[in-house]
């Protein structure tokens, strides 16, 4: 498995509280991604980063923000958590982006299970 | 926007039977990737297909990319208990280059 860790692995929080999830990689890959996984929806992209301080929105970005101040760390923040954000969150990395076929495959972290009460 | 549909959503098979999952995109793809997620685990990359009509094999797994590059399939011959999990396709849109995951097919093996 690629060197990707996520913290925390499990979190229970209350509606309205801020939450930050951390993804850390040791592979020096340029691209990093945050997905959420919900039954019946597969994996949906929240935000991604294509370099330090370079980020862009995915298909379900409302209510989430991200930051990447170092190559190895990608943070996902829920400013004010809602029950609809209860989900399993996966971080992923890839060596390159869409124009480098063969190097755009994604390697996933172990996931964070977030419950918002 | 691009949609990637997978069927079936669930599949229960007797051990030793074959299994196939199908992936269909609403747009033309530049490539398609397949991932496997074991229960309680994270998605793991299996393979990438790039060429129209491409067929690749990994032991008992056969992957195909359609001639029009809008569909793909994964076929497992003689399933084993180690094949249990959810199989996802992920299609890279030819136009906007976005990668969209399918909804997945959950495979259960009956011993």
């Amino acid at each position: 498995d690629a060197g990707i860790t996520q913290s925390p692995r499990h979190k229970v929080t209350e509606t309205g509280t801020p939450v930050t999830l951390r993804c850390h990689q040791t592979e020096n890959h340029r691209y990093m991604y945050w997905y959420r996984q919900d039954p019946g929806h597969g994996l949906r992209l929240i935000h991604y980063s294509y370099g330090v301080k370079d980020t862009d929105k995915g298909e379900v970005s409302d209510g989430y923000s991200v930051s990447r101040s170092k190559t190895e760390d990608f943070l996902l923040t829920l400013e004010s958590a809602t029950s609809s954000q209860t989900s399993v969150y996966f971080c992923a990395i890839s060596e390159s982006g869409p124009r480098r076929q063969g190097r755009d495959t994604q390697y996933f972290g172990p996931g964070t299970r977030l419950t918002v009460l | 926007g691009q949609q990637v549909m997978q069927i079936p959503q669930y599949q229960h098979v007797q051990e030793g039977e074959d299994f196939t999952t199908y992936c269909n995109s609403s747009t033309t793809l530049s490539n398609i990737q397949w991932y496997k997620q074991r229960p309680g685990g994270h998605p793991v990359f299996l393979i990438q297909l790039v060429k129209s009509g491409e067929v690749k094999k990994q032991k008992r797994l056969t992957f195909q990319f359609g001639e029009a590059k809008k569909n793909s399939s994964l076929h497992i011959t003689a399933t084993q208990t180690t094949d249990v999990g959810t199989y996802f396709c992920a299609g890279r849109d030819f136009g906007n280059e976005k990668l969209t995951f399918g909804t997945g097919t959950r495979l259960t093996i009956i011993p």
Side-chain angles (χ1 to χ4, degrees):
Chain A
D1 285 345
I4 310 168
T5 56
Q6 291 184 232
S7 58
R9 294 293 314 280
H10 302 271
K11 186 171 182 65
V12 179
T13 191
E14 294 188 349
T15 299
T17 60
V19 176
T20 296
L21 308 183
R22 179 180 184 241
C23 178
H24 179 79
Q25 60 142 331
T26 58
E27 304 296 322
N28 200 35
H29 281 6
R30 181 181 171 194
Y31 281 72
M32 298 185 76
Y33 312 82
W34 277 107
Y35 290 90
R36 61 178 290 174
Q37 184 173 38
D38 305 287
H41 291 277
L43 291 154
R44 293 182 292 174
L45 183 65
I46 305 171
H47 283 279
Y48 69 99
S49 169
Y50 48 96
V52 173
K53 297 186 179 180
D54 291 323
T55 65
D56 204 350
K57 295 179 179 180
E59 62 179 306
V60 290
S61 60
D62 287 349
Y64 302 94
S65 63
V66 290
S67 66
R68 191 170 178 197
S69 59
K70 298 185 291 184
T71 298
E72 57 267 33
D73 291 324
F74 193 30
L75 303 180
L76 176 71
T77 297
L78 292 66
E79 299 291 347
S80 178
T82 68
S83 58
S84 64
Q85 293 175 312
T86 293
S87 186
V88 178
Y89 291 85
F90 286 101
C91 172
I93 64 174
S94 66
E95 183 180 352
S96 187
R99 297 185 182 181
R100 302 287 298 277
Q101 298 206 80
R103 295 186 178 182
D104 66 332
T105 56
Q106 298 189 8
Y107 301 93
F108 285 80
T112 294
R113 183 173 295 275
L114 176 67
T115 302
V116 184
L117 302 176
Chain B
Q2 180 194 19
Q3 290 187 327
V4 178
M5 304 299 295
Q6 264 185 271
I7 55 171
Q9 189 174 0
Y10 302 95
Q11 185 77 59
H12 309 282
V13 300
Q14 292 275 354
E15 187 174 8
E17 291 183 340
D18 293 356
F19 159 77
T20 304
T21 174
Y22 300 91
C23 182
N24 295 289
S25 171
S26 59
T27 61
T28 302
L29 303 172
S30 60
N31 71 58
I32 193 154
Q33 303 170 20
W34 284 91
Y35 293 79
K36 176 184 177 181
Q37 183 177 21
R38 295 183 185 274
H42 57 276
V44 174
F45 172 75
L46 293 176
I47 207 161
Q48 181 180 76
L49 304 173
V50 177
K51 299 177 183 177
S52 171
E54 188 170 14
V55 178
K56 285 188 176 181
K57 293 188 176 183
Q58 288 180 349
K59 297 182 180 179
R60 295 178 293 103
L61 278 62
T62 302
F63 303 84
Q64 290 188 302
F65 200 8
E67 294 289 342
K69 302 185 77 173
K70 295 184 73 173
N71 58 74
S72 181
S73 65
L74 158 60
H75 178 82
I76 302 178
T77 303
T79 54
Q80 300 175 358
T81 55
T82 54
D83 296 325
V84 164
T86 301
Y87 293 85
F88 293 97
C89 64
R92 175 81 67 189
D93 188 274
F94 186 81
N96 62 28
E97 298 181 325
K98 290 184 177 180
L99 187 72
T100 301
F101 279 81
T103 49
T105 296
R106 180 182 294 181
L107 173 64
T108 304
I109 306 291
I110 305 167

